[in-house]
Amino acid sequence: MLAQQRSPSLSPTSYVVLGLVAWMQPTTPYDLKRAASRTVGNFWAFPHTQLYTEPVRLAEAGLLTEQREETGRRRRLFSITDAGRAELAAWLAEPAGEPTEVRDHGLLQLFFSGHADPATTLAIARAQRAAHERRLEGYLATERSINTKRELPASRRGALFGNSTPRAAAMRQATLRFGQTFERGAVEFWRAIEEAPPDQADG
Amino acid sequence: MLAQQRSPSLSPTSYVVLGLVAWMQPTTPYDLKRAASRTVGNFWAFPHTQLYTEPVRLAEAGLLTEQREETGRRRRLFSITDAGRAELAAWLAEPAGEPTEVRDHGLLQLFFSGHADPATTLAIARAQRAAHERRLEGYLATERSINTKRELPASRRGALFGNSTPRAAAMRQATLRFGQTFERGAVEFWRAIEEAPPDQADG
DNA sequence: GGGTACATGTAATCAGTTACATGATTTA
DNA sequence: TAAATCATGTAACTGATTACATGTACCC
C-alpha cells in the first residue's frame, strides 16, 4: 500500500474548502458560499468564484467526490473522501508557525496619513469606526441567529448551519467570539483616534 | 494642461511602496525592506521581491524617479515625484469602505479543529499563543528602540527611521499601539482556549 | 582567506481576482 | 409578465509568490 502522498500545492484556501465540505457535505458551491460568508469568510476572505473552481481541483486530487443532481439545475454536489479527511487532519496537526497577517487597509492609510492634513486622518478614522461597528453588529446578529437555531426543527437546521458535533460547533463559536473582541477593540481604537488625533509621537 | 490621470491599477501594495518612498526618500529597495519589516510589514505583509519590482513600475508611471549610484554597488535610488505625492494624497482622501481582512491561519485551524481531537486544538492554541507573544515582544522592542532614537545624533537617525514631521511619526506610532493591543488580546484569547478548550457551543 | 550572513536582484509560474454572462426564482 | 435578485458559472489576466542566483562585506 502506497503512502498517502500529500499534494504539496494546497493553499490555505484549499483547506477552507476542504473543511467546509467536511462540515456541510453533501453540499454545493453556493451553499459553501453562504456558509463561508457568515463564518470563515470573516477571517479568510476570497471571492465566490473560488468556491466553484477549487472543489473541482480538489476532486481531481481525489480529496472530494462530485455528483451531479439529476433534476432541474443539475448542480454539483461535493462530498469529502477519506483521503480528503486525512489531508485535513494532517493540516490541522501542523500548527501554523506564523501568526495573523492582518492586512488592514485602514491602518495602512493611518500609517501614511501623516503626509496629509489632519482632516484626512479624521475621515479615515470615521470610516474605519463605522466599518468596524457594522462588522461587530454583524457578528452579534450571527450569534443571535445561532441561539434561535436551537428552536428550529432539525430539518431546517442543516441547510442553514450544517451538521456536526457539539465540539465542532463550539470551535466555530470560539472564532466568532474572537471576532467580537477584535471588533470591539478596533472600534475603541478608532474612536480614540477620532477624539484625540495623534499629534506628538510620545503623546 | 491635462488632468492628472489616476492610473487605475495601483494595488494597496503600490501605495505602501509609494508611501514608504515618500517617507524615506531618497531610498533603495533594501532600505524599504528594512523599514517595511518593522512597520507596515506587520499589517500588510509581502515578500521583499516586491520592493524591487514595484518601484520600477511606479517609476514607469511617473510616480517615482530613479537614479543610479555612481560608486560601487550602483544601487537604485528612488524618490517620489509631485505626481506620486498627488496619487498618494488622492488615495488617502478616499477612505477604505471595507475593514480589516484578517487572514488568520490559526483561527482558520481552530475553526476546523472540531474535526480533530482535543489534543490538536490544544497544540494549535499553544502554537498561536507563542507566535503572538513573540510578535508582541517584537512590538515592544520596536517601541523601545524608537524611544532611544531620540538620543541618537540626527545623522544616524535618518538611516534607521527616516525623516518626517512629528505628526507623521505620531501616526506611525498609533499603528504600533494598535498592534500591541491586538497582540495582547490574541495572547489572552489563545491562553483561554488552552486553559478551557471549548466544549459546548454555549459554554 | 574562506565562511557566513547580509544584500540585491531576475524570471517563471500560478492562484486569485476581475470581468463577464446567463439561468432560475421570487415579487409586485 | 417584467423587474429584481438570487444562483451559477467561465475565462482571461496579472500581481504576488516561489525559486533561484550572485555579489559584497565582515569576522574568525
Side-chain angles (χ1 to χ4, degrees):
Chain A
M1 185 178 177
L2 288 173
Q4 188 78 41
Q5 73 173 358
R6 299 196 49 195
S7 43
S9 57
L10 293 188
S11 69
T13 303
S14 308
Y15 290 106
V16 172
V17 173
L18 207 49
L20 284 174
V21 173
W23 171 25
M24 313 269 301
Q25 69 174 327
T27 186
T28 69
Y30 187 70
D31 285 336
L32 292 176
K33 176 188 159 188
R34 273 200 312 172
S37 76
R38 52 163 52 215
T39 57
V40 268
N42 289 121
F43 47 85
W44 202 279
F46 46 86
H48 78 278
T49 52
Q50 289 280 104
L51 293 172
Y52 290 89
T53 54
E54 192 63 33
V56 174
R57 233 182 306 205
L58 294 174
E60 276 163 13
L63 306 176
L64 299 179
T65 57
E66 175 184 348
Q67 354 160 347
R68 263 347 238 244
E69 278 185 345
E70 290 305 321
T71 77
R73 291 205 174 194
R74 309 199 63 248
R75 292 177 300 177
R76 293 150 183 258
L77 275 173
F78 294 94
S79 300
I80 195 165
T81 65
D82 286 342
R85 245 182 282 270
E87 184 66 43
L88 188 57
W91 173 68
L92 287 171
E94 200 180 89
E98 280 313 286
T100 312
E101 177 191 337
V102 182
R103 296 241 155 187
D104 190 314
H105 200 123
L107 277 183
L108 205 52
Q109 290 185 314
L110 180 66
F111 184 86
F112 290 118
S113 79
H115 294 292
D117 57 295
T120 301
T121 302
L122 198 60
I124 291 166
R126 286 213 179 102
Q128 282 302 120
R129 178 157 70 88
H132 284 287
E133 276 170 351
R134 252 180 280 129
R135 202 171 253 235
L136 176 58
E137 180 45 44
Y139 287 161
L140 295 172
T142 301
E143 190 163 48
R144 280 194 298 274
S145 77
I146 289 173
N147 291 335
T148 45
K149 155 198 169 181
R150 298 206 175 77
E151 290 134 38
L152 287 179
S155 56
R156 290 211 53 216
R157 244 180 269 158
L160 275 175
F161 297 98
N163 301 288
S164 57
T165 68
R167 246 195 89 243
M171 295 304 162
R172 275 178 249 122
Q173 273 205 261
T175 65
L176 181 56
R177 259 181 259 119
F178 182 93
Q180 290 174 3
T181 304
F182 173 75
E183 295 304 331
R184 284 207 187 86
V187 168
E188 265 326 293
F189 174 80
W190 290 108
R191 189 203 308 282
I193 299 282
E194 275 180 68
E195 285 169 4
D199 205 299
Q200 294 297 102
D202 47 1
Chain B
M1 186 179 178
L2 288 174
Q4 187 78 41
Q5 74 174 359
R6 299 198 49 195
S7 42
S9 58
L10 294 188
S11 68
T13 304
S14 308
Y15 290 105
V16 173
V17 173
L18 207 50
L20 285 173
V21 172
W23 172 24
M24 314 269 300
Q25 69 175 328
T27 186
T28 69
Y30 187 70
D31 285 336
L32 292 177
K33 176 189 158 187
R34 273 199 313 173
S37 76
R38 50 164 51 216
T39 57
V40 268
N42 290 120
F43 46 85
W44 202 279
F46 47 85
H48 78 278
T49 52
Q50 288 280 103
L51 292 171
Y52 289 90
T53 55
E54 191 64 32
V56 173
R57 231 182 306 205
L58 294 174
E60 276 163 12
L63 306 176
L64 300 180
T65 57
E66 174 184 350
Q67 352 161 350
R68 262 348 236 243
E69 276 186 346
E70 291 304 323
T71 77
R73 291 205 173 194
R74 310 200 61 248
R75 292 177 300 178
R76 291 149 185 259
L77 274 173
F78 294 95
S79 300
I80 196 166
T81 65
D82 286 342
R85 244 182 281 270
E87 183 67 43
L88 189 57
W91 173 68
L92 288 171
E94 199 179 272
E98 280 314 286
T100 313
E101 176 191 338
V102 182
R103 297 242 152 185
D104 190 315
H105 201 123
L107 277 183
L108 206 52
Q109 291 187 312
L110 181 66
F111 185 84
F112 290 118
S113 78
H115 292 292
D117 56 295
T120 301
T121 303
L122 197 61
I124 291 167
R126 286 213 178 101
Q128 282 301 122
R129 177 158 70 89
H132 283 288
E133 276 170 351
R134 253 180 279 129
R135 202 171 253 237
L136 175 58
E137 180 46 45
Y139 287 161
L140 295 172
T142 301
E143 190 163 49
R144 282 195 297 273
S145 78
I146 289 173
N147 290 336
T148 44
K149 157 198 168 180
R150 298 210 174 75
E151 290 133 37
L152 287 179
S155 56
R156 291 211 51 216
R157 243 181 272 159
L160 275 176
F161 298 98
N163 301 291
S164 56
T165 67
R167 246 195 91 241
M171 294 305 163
R172 276 179 249 121
Q173 275 206 260
T175 64
L176 181 56
R177 258 180 259 120
F178 182 91
Q180 290 173 3
T181 304
F182 173 73
E183 294 304 330
R184 283 206 187 88
V187 168
E188 266 325 292
F189 174 79
W190 290 108
R191 189 202 309 281
I193 300 281
E194 275 180 70
E195 286 169 4
D199 206 299
Q200 294 295 102
D202 47 1

